[in-house]
Amino acid sequence: MLVTLTYHPVPPATQFPLLPNLGQLRMSLDIEQDPYVKALMQSSPTASDSPELRRVKLNRKTYCQEQLKSLHIRGQMVDKELGSWGTYWYIIACIQKLQLGVRNRSASLELLDDDEKVYLERCLDNLLSCVSEETMPWFDKECISAKVLRLIEFLLTEHTPGFSGLIFVKTRAEVAVLSEILSTHLSLKEHYKVSTFVGESNSVKRKTNIAELIDVRYQVSTLDDLRLGRKNLVVTTSALEEGIDVSACNVVICFDHPPNLKSLIQRRGRARRSESKLALMLADHDDPSTISTWHELEVAMRKQYENDMRELRDLETLEAIDEGDREFVVEKTGAKLLFSDAVSHLYHFCATLPSGRLSNVAPVFTYQDNSRGLGQRAITAQVVLPISVDVSVRQASSQSAWNTEKNAKRDAAFEAYKQLYYAGLISDNLLPIQGDDEAIANVKAEVGKMPSLVQVAGQSNPWHLVAHHWQGTTKGSSLYCYDIPLQQTDETIVKMHMLLPCSLPVIHDPIPLFWDASTTFSASIYLSSSTPPEMDHAAQSTGLLLSSVFRSRMDAARFDFVALFAPAEDHQNTDWMEKFSGTFKRESSWPTHDSNSSLSSLGIIRDLTRNGVPHILRGFEEQSSELNTTDCQDNENNEKRILLHVARFPKRTDFLHPAAPGKVNPLDGANKILLRPEDCEIDRLPLPYAYFAAMVPSILHRIGVRLLARSLCDTLLAPLELSQLDLVITATTTTASHEPSNYQRQEYLGDSVLKFLTSLTLVSERLHWHEGILSSAKDHIVSNASLAKAALEVGLDTFIQTKPFTGYKWRPLYDLVSTIADEPREMSTKTLADVVEALIGAAFLEGGFDKAIAALKVFLPRVFWSGVSDRNDILLSCYNIPITYPAHFTQLEQLIGCTFSNKTLPLEALTHPSYTGTNVTASYERLEFLGDVCLDIVISSTSFAHNPPIPTHGLHLIRTAVVNANFLAFLCLTLSIPIPRTTITTEGKNKVSSHETTIQRHIWQFMRQSPAAAVRLAQQDCLNRYEALKAPISESLQQGTHIPWSLLARLDAPKFFSDIIESLLGAIYIDSHGCLAACK
């Protein structure tokens, strides 16, 4: 319903002097005291005669003068429309806002010079001094306009439960004042919750206007508040006429005449509730025909609407006549693309493209009407897809001419979608691919969501293979004989032969054996030049040797040991067994108590009173039986006797790991035990052989680790032809095994190598894929689930060492052919994946990318891997495109220290996805995808090679810090080159002078982008934060001890700042034909 609110425009009876005083103040100001005029006069000795100064003095157009003028003019407008109370409140509020902003250094005043702030504040302080004694008056009908009184009267009659309304006024000043009046009116504030809404300025250079009271930051929730009932009346400008979703209202009030028919229609459209009203406020002296004019406009509006509907029906008729019936069918799957669905399918494809808030990924359609005369229309269409789509399939045109744009659009979309399918960007199900073409889909097959823990095979026992070799060995067969001298410092304690039916991997370094916290032995293992002992004799010697320490754990009837030992000195002496077999008790062969020098020739002392507990003889003591000693009984005859001073033989059988601090050394005699000779027996086998026997489990474990690694190299990793066995051992050793090295550092390197080779393969193999598909495919290939699945498929799990060596319950190794294999064990998928990456790292360390690719072929054979050089050739050939090279890009080359042979590369590397201009092949996204892994591997390989080696956690910290997006953005904002600039100035009437200066041009300023404001606003906002944070970040990076994570996070740079650093690295890599040193 259209209603009119008539009022008699009589000026309020009460007037306040503040507005006239403001006008007088403005006109009385000395223009020469204005900050801008002062700045001009001080700029040069001859500035007083400059044309600019004369112009300013004449027209008084400076920023401060314009601000005071704006405040005065808006005050006059408020006074006319709303009354003197509103004017008074408005001027006071503007002045107080300025004073508060100056005191608090408000961000809203950042664009004002300090001199301007001080000048304006001083001028308006003078104005306030005239009314300082006057309190804020309360408004009544004597000080507000008749127009406002009529509005209040109408609102008092219109309030109902659930009320919702809009009041349209002309200016932002009226919005602020009218909302204040309605909010504080005693009768209205009980029923109405008033809010405001005004339009926003997009200018980043717009200075603060002191006459502006509305802060748009506080109106974010206004429309939600109106919809939810938290507010029910909004005072607004024309900002809410269109383009913003506003809830349907009961009442829409036009405080001023709508300027045109469009505004009337739009405002009426806001009053959509049942029995809603559109109220027009008219003065009683207005032309009576105004109402009829609005009614006529409404009739015209309805007629226009009916005409539009008629044309729409005609178009629908035309569309029905020439509706396309084409379809595209994929024979393999039966998937079908209908002509009528092509547009929605194309929009869906574009929605899957990499996008951000700063770029538009929607397809753009253009039309051409080729109709001739009055006959049938002939409209064609062309569609252009976003710049992230490969240039070869970025455009498509309709195949036929059509009567309507709708069908021409469908035709173009239909052809575009077919192009995308043939380019491999659409799957056989006619859906956008997500990085899972046939090759990569095979990698993903059956991987799914693997559990964090999986059951794997038990750890392989490398001595099984040795046992199989023994099966084919007879008494006369040739055996491999190895010397194993056991040494302490430079002294050889004992030297043994070890006989095996097969060769051992070379063991370059001696094995350290930690007897206790202060005593360390070492055992070297090397091929003997001596004649090996006979197998039977070695088996007997092994039994005698091991029984000295592991007697209770041995089968006395078995001599089929997997590893045979014999003394190196006496292996041909058949009396050796007879000489050192068995034990003896108190006999004449015992050394006397004063011959301690021959103690080393004795064997282990066994205490028969305690089931033969083994001891080491340290010496003899003469003692009276009157003394009560440990393990001695009183002698009734009180005779002196000789006692054995012994120490317990160690129980531990793990000598590969240092003994815990505080353990007693059985060799130093600190733990004194005295035994009676008649209660003991002694082994004939000398003590050094017992030492060696105790260390056999540790020695065999070290040999077994190398046998296991060699077995892996001879089987699964045979195509790699690895020779550095230590790298393989490290790669297959977990932290849980407590070995001297584990896979963590090599996994760190292998992870980067894997990502680099995967990305290089994808970007060169799938030339049409955009960055989103490439990233998805890479993530699938390098995921833990994919690598864990690969490890299980090839049987790598049996070679992974997870069980720590303790020697606990160790048993001599007999013939293991019939021994049951280790039980299955649980292992995390991350561990499986980490070992794969560590082996890739091992291959890379030994043979560079070639061997790393060979490793990838073993673990991920379904992906098409090929040489790095071939991949680089493909990439370089793709950029063999003629293009116009911008002259200023030579400055970019100087800045980054790289002259490009292929000029297409830097141009693409600096092209933002929002760019829509000419001279472009693609955006930087594919190059950024490649540059990301180039950066990663450069950082990883450099930090890995550092000497001394950096611990694993330090490696990860370094990589995380350098590849951090905010750190790269900081570099992008910081790196610059000085550019010479000539400035021409005029002095006087005819004198012209030039000055040579330089400006800094930064990397980000070379980026080509959309002319729209979004990217520029993001750049400016980030630049403001950078200026505030540059000094503390630089100081922390150069002099600090920690990475300034919090400062970098506060930079909050848009992603494109770091992206262009990485895309430039990708461009350098391709241009240098794969030279990572150039990237470094």
Side-chain angles (χ1 to χ4, degrees):
M1 178 188 299
L2 180 65
V3 298
T4 58
L5 306 179
T6 306
Y7 63 93
H8 182 61
V10 179
T14 303
Q15 297 290 332
F16 304 107
L18 193 58
L19 181 61
N21 290 346
L22 175 61
Q24 294 173 7
L25 171 69
R26 185 171 69 86
M27 299 307 298
S28 64
L29 291 175
D30 184 0
I31 190 64
E32 293 193 357
Q33 299 302 314
D34 188 282
Y36 182 65
V37 174
K38 283 185 174 182
L40 286 177
M41 295 178 68
Q42 296 171 3
S43 61
S44 68
T46 60
S48 58
D49 295 329
S50 68
E52 174 65 11
L53 183 60
R54 291 198 300 270
R55 182 188 65 78
V56 170
K57 287 184 176 181
L58 181 65
N59 59 26
R60 301 176 67 89
K61 286 189 176 180
T62 68
Y63 175 72
C64 292
Q65 298 296 323
E66 290 297 308
Q67 288 295 291
L68 294 172
K69 179 179 178 182
S70 174
L71 181 60
H72 186 228
I73 291 174
R74 295 191 187 192
Q76 290 175 325
M77 187 178 302
V78 170
D79 187 71
K80 177 183 176 183
E81 294 292 330
L82 307 179
S84 57
W85 184 92
T87 308
Y88 184 96
W89 179 88
Y90 172 69
I91 295 175
I92 295 294
C94 289
I95 296 174
Q96 291 175 343
K97 181 182 178 184
L98 174 64
Q99 292 173 332
L100 183 63
V102 172
R103 286 197 301 271
N104 297 338
R105 297 184 177 274
S106 172
S108 63
L109 299 178
E110 282 183 357
L111 296 178
L112 283 179
D113 296 334
D114 290 340
D115 292 341
E116 292 174 334
K117 297 176 187 177
V118 172
Y119 181 75
L120 286 173
E121 186 181 23
R122 186 173 65 246
C123 292
L124 295 174
D125 278 345
N126 294 335
L127 181 65
L128 282 181
S129 64
C130 302
V131 293
S132 59
E133 300 298 327
E134 186 178 357
T135 58
M136 183 69 183
W138 177 248
F139 65 84
D140 55 25
K141 64 180 181 179
E142 300 298 327
C143 59
I144 58 177
S145 68
K147 191 174 185 181
V148 174
L149 289 173
R150 182 67 183 93
L151 173 64
I152 293 173
E153 178 185 344
F154 176 71
L155 289 174
L156 289 173
T157 61
E158 288 299 315
H159 179 266
T160 57
F163 176 89
S164 177
L166 300 175
I167 301 176
F168 285 97
V169 298
K170 284 183 180 179
T171 66
R172 299 158 76 97
E174 291 176 76
V175 170
V177 177
L178 185 57
S179 65
E180 179 68 18
I181 292 174
L182 299 180
S183 298
T184 55
H185 191 279
L186 292 176
S187 300
L188 291 178
K189 67 180 183 179
E190 297 179 3
H191 305 295
Y192 293 100
K193 301 168 186 176
V194 184
S195 185
T196 62
F197 193 93
V198 297
E200 300 183 30
S201 171
N202 290 328
S203 174
V204 297
K205 298 182 179 180
R206 177 178 177 179
K207 280 192 173 184
T208 302
N209 192 332
I210 65 171
E212 179 66 68
L213 283 181
I214 303 293
D215 192 335
V216 296
R217 292 177 297 175
Y218 300 127
Q219 68 181 30
V220 174
S221 62
T222 294
L223 300 182
D224 286 337
D225 291 342
L226 181 66
R227 177 172 52 84
L228 299 174
R230 293 192 290 260
K231 303 289 184 182
N232 59 3
L233 185 62
V234 177
V235 183
T236 182
T237 59
S238 58
L240 284 187
E241 285 183 349
E242 64 174 335
I244 299 176
D245 185 20
V246 180
S247 300
C249 299
N250 300 94
V251 174
V252 174
I253 302 170
C254 297
F255 196 73
D256 302 291
H257 293 182
N260 48 49
L261 175 60
K262 178 182 178 182
S263 292
L264 176 66
I265 295 171
Q266 289 169 341
R267 295 180 183 185
R268 179 157 189 162
R270 298 304 188 190
R272 301 192 299 274
R273 287 190 181 178
S274 176
E275 300 182 0
S276 59
K277 296 178 181 179
L278 174 65
L280 304 177
M281 300 200 70
L282 300 174
D284 55 8
H285 58 70
D286 284 344
D287 187 353
S289 64
T290 301
I291 300 299
S292 61
T293 300
W294 291 118
H295 283 296
E296 290 172 3
L297 288 174
E298 184 177 10
V299 172
M301 175 181 68
R302 182 179 292 109
K303 184 175 180 181
Q304 182 65 41
Y305 172 76
E306 292 173 350
N307 290 337
D308 290 344
M309 292 301 297
R310 189 179 303 108
E311 290 184 6
L312 181 61
R313 286 193 296 271
D314 292 342
L315 286 174
E316 289 176 348
T317 301
L318 287 173
E319 289 170 0
I321 293 173
D322 65 356
E323 181 77 39
D325 57 355
R326 283 186 292 159
E327 61 181 32
F328 176 72
V329 180
V330 180
E331 294 184 4
K332 183 177 179 180
T333 61
K336 185 182 298 184
L337 173 67
L338 299 178
F339 184 80
S340 58
D341 296 335
V343 174
S344 61
H345 275 68
L346 191 62
Y347 271 92
H348 174 64
F349 168 80
C350 290
T352 64
L353 298 175
S355 63
R357 60 185 182 87
L358 302 178
S359 57
N360 179 21
V361 295
V364 177
F365 290 88
T366 56
Y367 306 94
Q368 183 174 357
D369 192 343
N370 301 309
S371 305
R372 295 182 179 179
L374 301 177
Q376 190 177 22
R377 301 179 68 188
I379 300 175
T380 57
Q382 183 184 61
V383 61
V384 179
L385 303 183
I387 195 173
S388 55
V389 178
D390 187 74
V391 65
S392 63
V393 291
R394 194 177 299 155
Q395 295 185 14
S397 301
S398 55
Q399 199 176 55
S400 306
W402 302 86
N403 286 319
T404 63
E405 289 183 355
K406 181 177 181 179
N407 281 327
K409 179 179 182 179
R410 289 174 173 174
D411 193 356
F414 188 84
E415 295 301 318
Y417 211 74
K418 287 198 303 180
Q419 281 187 179
L420 294 173
Y421 172 78
Y422 290 126
L425 297 173
I426 302 296
S427 70
D428 287 335
N429 294 315
L430 291 180
L431 294 173
I433 66 170
Q434 298 296 323
D436 52 357
D437 69 336
E438 184 174 357
I440 296 167
N442 290 332
V443 176
K444 293 170 56 181
E446 300 180 6
V447 172
K449 294 182 178 179
M450 291 186 69
S452 58
L453 287 175
V454 293
Q455 191 173 64
V456 301
Q459 183 173 321
S460 177
N461 189 336
W463 295 102
H464 280 280
L465 185 60
V466 179
H468 279 286
H469 281 286
W470 278 116
Q471 281 192 325
T473 303
T474 60
K475 187 174 182 179
S477 299
S478 297
L479 298 176
Y480 290 87
C481 180
Y482 292 89
D483 286 343
I484 307 179
L486 183 65
Q487 295 178 309
Q488 184 180 11
T489 61
D490 294 331
E491 180 184 357
T492 299
I493 306 302
V494 66
K495 184 177 181 180
M496 300 294 292
H497 285 320
M498 181 174 66
L499 273 67
L500 293 171
C502 57
S503 65
L504 290 180
V506 176
I507 303 177
H508 298 284
D509 300 320
I511 301 171
L513 299 164
F514 304 95
W515 183 262
D516 55 45
S518 60
T519 307
T520 301
F521 294 97
S522 64
S524 301
I525 303 175
Y526 50 86
L527 197 61
S528 177
S529 59
S530 304
T531 304
E534 294 185 3
M535 188 167 60
D536 290 343
H537 173 73
Q540 294 293 327
S541 300
T542 304
L544 174 60
L545 182 74
L546 296 180
S547 64
S548 65
V549 178
F550 304 104
R551 182 179 303 173
S552 63
R553 304 180 187 180
M554 296 180 62
D555 185 346
R558 295 191 65 176
F559 294 93
D560 53 343
F561 301 103
V562 174
L564 302 180
F565 296 93
E569 300 85 358
D570 302 310
H571 66 271
Q572 296 296 340
N573 187 354
T574 56
D575 296 333
W576 190 85
M577 287 293 300
E578 297 178 5
K579 181 178 179 181
F580 294 124
S581 295
T583 62
F584 58 86
K585 296 190 68 175
R586 184 174 186 139
E587 299 175 3
S588 58
S589 58
W590 280 61
T592 61
H593 67 278
D594 57 351
S595 58
N596 288 336
S597 60
S598 61
L599 294 180
S600 62
S601 64
L602 298 178
I604 292 176
I605 304 294
R606 301 187 185 275
D607 184 359
L608 299 179
T609 64
R610 295 186 178 181
N611 298 320
V613 174
H615 295 80
I616 300 171
L617 180 63
R618 298 297 301 142
F620 301 90
E621 284 198 15
E622 190 177 82
Q623 214 170 42
S624 173
S625 61
E626 292 179 346
L627 298 176
N628 292 326
T629 58
T630 304
D631 294 327
C632 294
Q633 298 178 0
D634 292 340
N635 188 314
E636 295 178 357
N637 297 325
N638 196 20
E639 295 178 354
K640 291 185 178 182
R641 64 179 66 195
I642 301 300
L643 300 177
L644 306 181
H645 174 200
V646 299
R648 281 290 302 273
F649 195 87
K651 292 182 179 180
R652 61 191 295 258
T653 51
D654 172 17
F655 298 101
L656 294 176
H657 302 97
K663 291 288 185 180
V664 176
N665 180 1
L667 299 182
D668 63 14
N671 187 12
K672 189 173 183 180
I673 303 175
L674 298 178
L675 299 178
R676 296 184 306 185
E678 59 268 25
D679 294 333
C680 303
E681 66 178 11
I682 185 167
D683 288 355
R684 295 183 184 278
L685 184 69
L687 191 60
Y689 290 105
Y691 290 161
F692 185 89
M695 296 178 186
V696 163
S698 299
I699 294 171
L700 292 182
H701 174 75
R702 279 284 178 263
I703 295 173
V705 168
R706 300 190 74 81
L707 286 172
L708 184 64
R710 187 178 69 177
S711 176
L712 174 60
C713 291
D714 291 343
T715 54
L716 177 60
L717 301 182
L720 279 64
E721 298 181 351
L722 296 176
S723 59
Q724 299 183 36
L725 206 59
D726 288 333
L727 293 176
V728 178
I729 293 172
T730 299
T732 53
T733 303
T734 66
T735 55
S737 63
H738 302 304
E739 292 293 313
S741 63
N742 59 66
Y743 63 65
Q744 290 184 325
R745 275 176 49 84
Q746 286 182 200
E747 179 273 330
Y748 164 83
L749 180 62
D751 172 73
S752 290
V753 173
L754 171 62
K755 289 177 180 176
F756 173 77
L757 292 175
T758 301
S759 298
L760 181 63
T761 297
L762 290 172
V763 79
S764 58
E765 184 73 13
R766 305 298 174 185
L767 299 176
H768 292 145
W769 280 10
H770 56 74
E771 184 268 339
I773 306 177
L774 293 171
S775 295
S776 176
K778 184 192 77 172
D779 291 344
H780 287 311
I781 293 174
V782 306
S783 68
N784 283 347
S786 174
L787 297 178
K789 181 74 164 100
L792 293 174
E793 284 181 348
V794 299
L796 178 63
D797 48 327
T798 64
F799 296 96
I800 300 176
Q801 296 185 69
T802 57
K803 187 186 300 183
F805 173 76
T806 63
Y808 180 66
K809 294 184 179 180
W810 183 86
R811 297 287 188 277
L813 303 178
Y814 296 106
D815 182 4
L816 300 174
V817 175
S818 59
T819 304
I820 300 175
D822 287 352
E823 293 182 358
R825 50 188 168 154
E826 281 193 336
M827 189 178 295
S828 70
T829 52
K830 185 180 186 309
T831 297
L832 288 165
D834 286 350
V835 172
V836 172
E837 290 176 332
L839 285 170
I840 294 171
F844 176 75
L845 288 171
E846 179 170 321
F849 287 123
D850 290 340
K851 287 205 173 182
I853 291 172
L856 289 174
K857 290 179 179 179
V858 170
F859 294 111
L860 299 171
R862 300 180 187 92
V863 179
F864 182 69
W865 306 103
S866 63
V868 170
S869 180
D870 294 338
R871 295 297 179 187
N872 296 334
D873 290 341
I874 293 172
L875 288 176
L876 193 58
S877 66
C878 293
Y879 289 91
N880 220 1
I881 303 170
I883 201 164
T884 304
Y885 195 57
H888 68 279
F889 266 54
T890 57
Q891 300 166 357
L892 170 70
E893 295 179 333
Q894 295 173 16
L895 172 56
I896 64 177
C898 175
T899 301
F900 288 90
S901 301
N902 190 316
K903 303 301 184 183
T904 305
L905 287 163
L907 200 63
E908 183 172 311
L910 272 298
T911 300
H912 189 267
S914 66
Y915 182 71
T916 55
T918 58
N919 198 32
V920 62
T921 56
S923 68
Y924 61 59
E925 291 166 311
R926 278 175 57 89
L927 286 176
E928 180 268 329
F929 172 79
L930 179 61
D932 174 74
V933 292
C934 290
L935 173 64
D936 191 280
I937 195 168
V938 165
I939 299 303
S940 299
S941 58
T942 303
S943 58
F944 184 90
H946 186 271
N947 192 19
I950 301 172
T952 307
H953 71 277
L955 294 174
H956 285 285
L957 183 61
I958 291 171
R959 183 166 66 186
T960 301
V962 178
V963 304
N964 176 268
N966 281 314
F967 174 72
L968 295 178
F970 181 77
L971 294 181
C972 185
L973 288 160
T974 302
L975 296 175
S976 63
I977 185 173
I979 305 297
R981 180 68 58 89
T982 302
T983 303
I984 299 176
T985 59
T986 58
E987 300 178 1
K989 293 183 178 180
N990 301 316
K991 188 175 180 181
V992 178
S993 62
S994 62
H995 304 279
E996 297 296 328
T997 60
T998 60
I999 62 170
Q1000 294 295 323
R1001 186 158 193 166
H1002 299 78
I1003 287 182
W1004 63 270
Q1005 292 175 307
F1006 290 92
M1007 187 178 74
R1008 303 193 301 170
Q1009 62 204 41
S1010 167
V1015 179
R1016 288 185 288 107
L1017 285 172
Q1019 288 173 334
Q1020 186 61 48
D1021 289 345
C1022 183
L1023 192 59
N1024 293 337
R1025 295 190 295 273
Y1026 168 77
E1027 292 297 336
L1029 296 169
K1030 175 173 64 174
I1033 291 177
S1034 298
E1035 181 180 358
S1036 181
L1037 290 174
Q1038 294 171 9
Q1039 304 176 13
T1041 57
H1042 294 82
I1043 298 168
W1045 294 117
S1046 59
L1047 291 174
L1048 290 170
R1050 286 169 55 192
L1051 186 61
D1052 192 24
K1055 188 174 180 292
F1056 60 77
F1057 281 107
S1058 59
D1059 284 350
I1060 59 179
I1061 294 291
E1062 293 175 334
S1063 63
L1064 281 171
L1065 285 173
I1068 292 170
Y1069 176 83
I1070 296 175
D1071 190 66
S1072 63
H1073 202 269
C1075 179
L1076 288 173
C1079 298
K1080 183 177 179 180

